[in-house]
Amino acid sequence: MLRKISHKQIPSRGGTFAIVASRYNARYVDAMLRAAKAEILRAGATVQVVRVPGAYEIPVVVAKLARTASPPLSAILCLGVILRGATTHAQHIGEAVSSALVQIQIQHEVPVIHEVLLLENEQQARERCFDKKHNRGTEAAQTALAMAGVMNSLRG
């Protein structure tokens, strides 16, 4: 069940974020990207956007950013939409991306926010990407900002 996004007052705390977004299923991903970017900028942070061809290509770019970004990133958001088809291909892509992203965040100790959605159909994509009350891009940005705060509190 989709829950309405609560627009929390985010204190301006800065930070540097990256968004890695798939070009595949662009109409859905672009809507999440716009929402995520707006939420991060609203919090007074900076954001770099990197576009990749599809969801499968997201992890290698995330790994490179986690390893080499200067200054170090506060968090990396991953945005993509995978729609199931008649074969198991989508499931394999989703599992590979999920597994890689969790390993990257653990290895590099950079929060990696996973919003590469594996969906059954375009109706689910519309509900999660176009609806302002449930936009997964907004939720991803809020999670990234929260995790940046958690990680900052653990430094020292």
Side-chain angles (χ1 to χ4, degrees):
M1 185 171 128
L2 294 175
R3 290 182 312 209
K4 182 178 178 183
I5 297 170
S6 62
H7 286 280
K8 306 166 189 126
Q9 183 62 31
I10 300 170
S12 181
R13 57 179 163 260
T16 304
F17 296 81
I19 300 174
V20 181
S22 170
R23 290 188 187 282
Y24 199 78
N25 288 317
R27 64 185 243 166
Y28 303 117
V29 177
D30 290 352
M32 287 195 300
L33 176 59
R34 281 190 300 276
K37 190 174 175 184
E39 191 77 3
I40 289 169
L41 294 174
R42 190 170 73 88
T46 60
V47 63
Q48 169 189 7
V49 176
V50 180
R51 298 304 295 257
V52 297
Y56 193 75
E57 292 75 32
I58 290 172
V60 70
V61 173
V62 172
K64 177 90 171 180
L65 288 168
R67 187 176 67 252
T68 65
S70 181
L73 294 168
S74 304
I76 304 170
L77 294 79
C78 306
L79 305 178
V81 171
I82 304 167
L83 295 172
R84 287 192 198 270
T87 69
T88 60
H89 181 72
Q91 183 72 31
H92 294 299
I93 297 294
E95 289 171 358
V97 169
S98 295
S99 178
L101 293 179
V102 74
Q103 291 303 316
I104 293 164
Q105 91 169 338
I106 292 167
Q107 180 178 3
H108 296 284
E109 296 182 352
V110 174
V112 174
I113 311 309
H114 184 337
E115 282 299 333
V116 179
L117 307 176
L118 176 57
L119 303 171
E120 298 299 324
N121 53 52
E122 292 198 43
Q123 177 60 33
Q124 287 182 350
R126 284 190 294 276
E127 290 169 354
R128 286 155 180 80
C129 301
F130 294 155
D131 189 339
K132 289 185 190 317
K133 293 182 207 169
H134 307 291
N135 189 294
R136 296 295 192 214
T138 302
E139 290 179 353
Q142 290 173 348
T143 301
L145 291 161
M147 282 303 298
V150 169
M151 296 303 282
N152 282 336
S153 74
L154 298 173
R155 291 193 174 107

